Amino acid sequence: MANSNVPQPGQWFYIQSSLTDSSGNNYLVTVAGGGAYAGANVLLGRLQPNSYTGLPWRYNGLWKCDDDGRIVSAIGNQNLVMDASSYIDPNTWVVLNSANGNSSQQWTFNEDGTISNKSQNGLVLDIQVGNAQSAAWLNVDSAAQAPSASQQWSIVYPQVFAPQWSYIQSGLPVGPNDPPLVATLQEGTNNVVLSPMQSNSSNQLWQITPDGRILSARSEERRVGKECRSRW
């Protein structure tokens, strides 16, 4: 599908391949092992629940464009960008690298769904093996004369990017002067129990992640100043 939604600088998004596997699964541009270091391979992967390791600046699979045309990874310190610079004959692979002024780090999102690299004219982001599979490395290759699905990408925006930390409140009745019962991460365990709501208690605060899971604030070791309440 042609990509008519060119991302704006600073806006986070997924880069989804137009290819699907035999089961109809979609694949995204991700970083091998979620590695936040220069030289980490950029490859194809499904959005895995265990890849969520914290807040959006550490999220593998999210990207944004900066004012210089670089595609910035959300993992690490936000200074790692997609770079078509790892040449292993006969391919030029795409890796993460620290941002610099090299044209190999500059990209253009085209209306035909391709993503061009500015290091050499006519080179576009491609799936080297030509089909959708986990851990398939991405390279740059000459744009096909006829549309090639392995070279076409769509911009997909997360439904929830920076959700609020919230209580999950039970619908069970309580006394008129008693606080509501909310989901609570039991101290020293992974058990979730109901207990009376306490203000700013991190083991009672939760958020919905972009892939639909419920994340505890306690696992982030994060203090929250504002919270809202969801009814359970």
Side-chain angles (χ1 to χ4, degrees), residues 98-209:
S98 298
N100 56 46
N102 293 343
S103 60
S104 61
Q105 296 184 350
Q106 296 178 318
W107 304 83
T108 300
F109 290 80
N110 304 306
E111 289 296 325
D112 63 358
T114 59
I115 303 175
S116 300
N117 187 258
K118 293 187 177 181
S119 59
Q120 298 182 50
N121 290 332
L123 293 184
V124 298
L125 186 66
D126 196 3
I127 304 169
Q128 194 273 334
V129 295
N131 55 58
Q133 62 185 51
S134 290
W137 286 20
L138 303 185
N139 66 328
V140 288
D141 203 352
S142 298
Q145 291 186 349
S148 172
S150 68
Q151 297 180 348
Q152 292 188 307
W153 309 88
S154 297
I155 300 304
V156 179
Y157 296 95
Q159 293 181 344
V160 180
F161 176 67
Q164 282 187 297
W165 294 95
S166 309
Y167 294 111
I168 301 177
Q169 181 180 333
S170 170
L172 292 173
V174 295
N177 297 318
D178 295 329
L181 298 175
V182 297
T184 304
L185 182 62
Q186 195 172 42
E187 196 71 36
T189 75
N190 291 325
N191 299 325
V192 178
V193 298
L194 287 178
S195 63
M197 186 178 71
Q198 300 176 353
S199 179
N200 291 331
S201 177
S202 63
N203 65 333
Q204 295 183 337
L205 292 173
W206 310 84
Q207 66 175 220
I208 299 176
T209 69

Side-chain angles (χ1 to χ4, degrees), residues 2 17 23 30 37 51 57 92 119 126 132 152 162 220 229:
S17 172
S23 300
T30 61
Y37 58 88
S51 70
W57 53 83
T92 299
S119 59
D126 196 3
Q152 292 188 307
E220 292 304 302
R229 187 183 305 171

